[in-house]
Amino acid sequence: MSAPVRSVPETFDCRVAFAEELIALARTDDRIVAVCNDSVGSSNLVGFAAEFPDRMINVGIAEQDMVGVGAGLALSGYVPFVCGASPFLTGRALEQIKADVAYSQSPVVLCGMSPGMAYGELGPTHHSIEDLSWLRAIAGLGIVVPADPNETRSAVRWAAAAATPVFLRVGRFKIPAVTGERPFTFGRATALRDGSDVTVVATGTMVSRALQAAEEAADQGVSIRVLNMSTIAPLDEEAILRAARETRAIVTAEEATTTGGLGAAVAAVVVTSPTRVPMRMLGIHREFAPTGSTAYLLEHFGLTATDIRAAAIGLAHA
């Protein structure tokens, strides 16, 4: 019997949804400002700058200053969205994120644009695979990774009103819409598909791939639950514990290093719980991602729907 033919879904650049929602919010709230590091184009802020030139602050290639300016604006009553390529925002300005934003509890929305391996051919210096790991180590900082354009819009609205330090990881690699009209809820995972054999906990670009893996695994008699873990910090521990109780294994999938990222966070919950289940962590395992297209790199590191399906089925049959 031939495999069923599945249609190819339309895909979206989440930076577009981010920019559209930011402009819509700025039209009704003059406290909203954008701060960037000479990245108006790559952060998709051209439209914002055209409509609100006095609220577009470009500090140039000076990420530490960018975060400091954002913190100052937040403490002055503004709602700053500090935008830059994620490897440079988080790598160059880590001290300022720690001290000026998180420790000072400055309500800054840090927007890591084009994270993971979205920059592809620009190579290891531009891959942002460590951001989740080192930001998770900072107290008082929320970490949000939307799964699709709808959740990106909802997360932007939440962040504008939350008055708390938060890192928003805004994807560039095109992905399908998977969350429907579900509103983003900070600190809560969303079950996008129920299942009884294995739970796949995915975040960001991996969520749509996890759903595809679950659909294909069902053809082989394996029932996969898919959790969209859009908040990495604070982690929805109850959803993880429920998955450990109700399914026989857990797979995590992230476009990031597993050293300290989503997989490590989930494993820390599972290993200290009364219900310990086998786990498999899919991601980049403490190495530099090479140069290549994003699609090639995701395949290289075993982050395709086929890889997720294989990991889940392997644990289900173990």
Side-chain angles (χ1 to χ4, degrees):
M1 176 182 288
S2 61
V5 177
R6 295 185 171 94
S7 61
V8 178
E10 183 181 3
T11 57
F12 305 89
D13 181 340
C14 287
R15 295 175 307 161
V16 175
F18 164 83
E20 290 175 350
E21 195 61 36
L22 186 63
I23 290 171
L25 290 169
R27 287 172 179 158
T28 61
D29 187 345
D30 59 11
R31 299 174 304 151
I32 291 177
V33 296
V35 188
C36 77
N37 56 338
D38 200 28
S39 62
V40 175
S42 61
S43 294
N44 211 39
L45 293 171
V46 173
F48 186 96
E51 188 164 343
F52 309 104
D54 294 338
R55 288 195 265 163
M56 177 73 251
I57 302 167
N58 188 345
V59 303
I61 305 175
E63 285 77 11
Q64 295 95 333
D65 289 344
M66 176 176 69
V67 174
V69 167
L73 288 166
L75 295 174
S76 300
Y78 291 93
V79 181
F81 281 73
V82 175
C83 307
S86 195
F88 309 129
L89 168 62
T90 62
R92 292 177 181 168
L94 191 61
E95 180 186 357
Q96 285 71 32
I97 292 173
K98 172 187 173 181
D100 296 347
V101 177
Y103 175 69
S104 302
Q105 282 298 284
S106 304
V108 176
V109 185
L110 300 162
C111 306
M113 316 301 286
S114 305
M117 297 175 288
Y119 276 119
E121 288 85 350
L122 293 180
T125 58
H126 283 61
H127 298 327
S128 187
I129 58 175
E130 304 89 358
D131 52 2
L132 299 182
S133 296
W134 50 44
L135 293 181
R136 273 193 64 238
I138 298 177
L141 180 67
I143 302 174
V144 175
V145 188
D148 69 358
N150 299 323
E151 192 167 51
T152 299
R153 293 179 189 277
S154 184
V156 168
R157 289 194 298 273
W158 169 83
T164 189
V166 63
F167 173 73
L168 187 62
R169 203 179 197 237
V170 183
R172 174 181 180 175
F173 180 68
K174 288 188 174 183
I175 51 177
V178 294
T179 62
E181 298 302 317
R182 297 177 181 86
F184 166 76
T185 302
F186 182 65
R188 289 286 179 265
T190 305
L192 297 182
R193 183 182 177 112
D194 199 13
S196 57
D197 292 327
V198 178
T199 297
V200 175
V201 183
T203 193
T205 56
M206 292 297 105
V207 175
S208 57
R209 293 174 173 231
L211 287 168
Q212 181 183 342
E215 185 177 351
E216 294 173 357
D219 297 336
Q220 298 175 258
V222 175
S223 175
I224 295 179
R225 176 181 305 182
V226 176
L227 287 183
N228 170 24
M229 192 64 72
S230 53
T231 305
I232 306 298
L235 198 69
D236 188 346
E237 296 188 6
E238 179 51 42
I240 297 166
L241 294 172
R242 191 180 309 117
R245 292 193 302 267
E246 297 175 357
T247 65
R248 301 198 303 271
I250 293 175
V251 175
T252 61
E254 58 194 307
E255 191 186 348
T257 177
T258 56
T259 308
L262 172 67
V266 172
V269 174
V270 171
V271 77
T272 56
S273 73
T275 308
R276 300 177 187 177
V277 295
M279 273 192 65
R280 174 85 183 274
M281 292 185 287
L282 302 181
I284 296 94
H285 298 286
R286 204 167 186 269
E287 61 181 287
F288 291 111
T291 300
S293 70
T294 305
Y296 162 77
L297 291 169
L298 292 173
E299 184 174 352
H300 174 77
F301 285 111
L303 292 171
T304 67
T306 299
D307 296 309
I308 297 171
R309 181 190 66 194
I313 290 176
L315 286 177
H317 292 161

